[in-house]
């Protein structure tokens, strides 16, 4: 496994692989790798001949009062995980390598970045789009892999790629969960045992939504009310949003019909967690 810390190095490794006709798969991450990330790596290894994992805690996607400084950076453990998963190349640049000067160019995906997390994390998605645009330009992958866990991010990136005619395919992989339903996340390590238990109410609330829709309830304010009751069982949970939206446009739905995305963001202590599920009411 090669580890590149500069753009020059990463480009030369990828160029060599491409000249041998290899299909290049990219898994962009912020590190602190877990089973969610490795599921993307495994998928990339199945589809592609050469797997690149980027590990970069991207400063531009964090707000001023967010956890950029304290975000975990266990690089040695991450490299070991990549090695164990037969990753071909890890790109682990410094912030200066990615942002050598003040960044003046941004990619603004309109509309899709406004609801859900867009309301609570101003500037977050332009940080995500610029870093992905840079990674795609540096690595030139044939395919890039993202998790359904960050549903809005995946939709925004897919749209950026389509609107800018970027020559790669975006694949979105299912959310990996702990046995108790909690979506695996690098931020779960901020949680105490007690908070981890409380956090399972997020998935319970999403499951309630699925159950109600399956049983024929379509009135979204009513469904959201029931979901809220579950989260309120634990007063330490501070709800940011509970939304039921069209899974393509992310617009709020009055009636839960078609391809529906139910999404929650909540804070437990100072840890912000997000989760979602997709429900297709046409599927039986
Ligand atoms: P992050 O390192 O948190 O920026 O995540 C890197 C990629 O892994 C993103 O595409 C995430 O959506 C994906 N990811 C994170 N957690 C999970 C999970 N529990 N299941 C599936 N994918 C995940």
């Amino acid at each position: 496994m090669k580890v590149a810390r500069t753009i020059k190095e990463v480009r030369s490794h990828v160029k060599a692989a491409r000249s041998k006709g290899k299909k290049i798969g990219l898994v962009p991450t912020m590190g602190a790798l877990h089973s969610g990330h490795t599921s993307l790596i495994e998928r990339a290894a199945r589809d592609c001949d050469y797997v690149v994992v980027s590990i970069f805690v991207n400063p531009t996607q964090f707000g001023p009062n967010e956890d950029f400084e304290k975000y975990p950076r266990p690089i040695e453990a991450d490299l070991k995980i990549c090695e164990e998963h037969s990753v071909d190349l890890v790109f682990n640049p410094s912030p200066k390598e990615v942002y050598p000067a003040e960044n003046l160019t941004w990619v603004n995906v309109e509309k899709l970045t406004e609801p859900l997390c867009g309301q609570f994390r101003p500037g977050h998605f332009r940080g995500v789009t610029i870093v992905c645009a840079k990674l795609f330009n540096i690595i030139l992958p044939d395919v890039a892999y993202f998790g359904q866990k960050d549903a809005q991010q995946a939709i925004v990136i897919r749209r950026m790629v389509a609107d800018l005619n970027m020559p790669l395919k975006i694949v979105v992989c299912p959310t990996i969960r702990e046995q108790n339903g909690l979506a695996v996340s690098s931020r779960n390590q901020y949680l105490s045992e007690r908070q981890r238990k409380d956090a399972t109410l997020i998935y319970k609330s999403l499951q309630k939504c699925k159950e109600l829709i399956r049983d024929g309830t379509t009135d979204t304010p009513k469904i959201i009310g029931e979901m809220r009751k579950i989260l309120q069982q634990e007063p330490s949970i501070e709800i940011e949003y509970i939304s039921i939206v069209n899974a393509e446009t992310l617009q709020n739905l009055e009636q839960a019909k078609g391809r529906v995305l139910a999404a929650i963001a909540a804070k437990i202590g100072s840890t912000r967690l997000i989760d979602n599920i997709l429900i297709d009411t046409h599927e039986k």
Side-chain angles (χ1 to χ4, degrees), residues 28-31 34 36-37 39-40 71 145-147 149-150 153 174-176 183-184:
T29 82
M30 298 206 298
H34 51 62
H37 299 116
S39 74
L40 304 186
Y71 199 86
Y145 296 85
F146 290 86
K149 158 80 169 41
D150 299 271
Q153 167 173 284
T175 302
I176 304 297
V184 177

Side-chain angles (χ1 to χ4, degrees), residues 166-223:
M166 291 177 160
L168 75 154
K169 189 174 141 193
I170 300 299
V171 170
V172 181
C173 303
T175 302
I176 304 297
R177 301 181 178 282
E178 292 181 3
Q179 251 177 6
N180 59 17
L182 176 65
V184 177
S185 163
S186 306
R187 290 188 168 98
N188 290 353
Q189 44 180 289
Y190 301 146
L191 302 172
S192 67
E193 270 315 299
R194 176 64 210 257
Q195 290 175 322
R196 232 168 220 273
K197 195 158 163 280
D198 298 344
T200 61
L201 291 175
I202 296 174
Y203 186 56
K204 289 206 176 91
S205 171
L206 292 168
Q207 277 183 313
K208 181 73 180 177
C209 171
K210 190 169 189 169
E211 248 170 65
L212 288 167
I213 293 177
R214 287 274 177 260
D215 294 346
T217 311
T218 56
D219 181 74
T220 54
K222 186 168 166 204
I223 299 169

Side-chain angles (χ1 to χ4, degrees), residues 69 104 178 180 263 275:
E69 295 297 337
L104 300 180
E178 292 181 3
N180 59 17
D275 198 358

Side-chain angles (χ1 to χ4, degrees), residues 56 58 61 98-99 126-136:
F56 179 60
N58 172 37
Q61 71 187 71
V98 178
Y99 299 105
R126 76 165 198 169
V128 170
T129 50
I130 192 62
V131 80
C132 288
K134 279 172 171 277
L135 290 170
F136 297 165

Side-chain angles (χ1 to χ4, degrees), residues 224-241:
I224 289 170
E226 293 300 315
M227 293 170 76
R228 186 177 303 277
K229 273 189 213 158
I230 293 180
L231 291 174
Q232 284 173 339
Q233 284 170 21
E234 190 39 67
S236 74
I237 299 182
E238 186 195 321
I239 301 167
E240 237 174 40
Y241 64 76

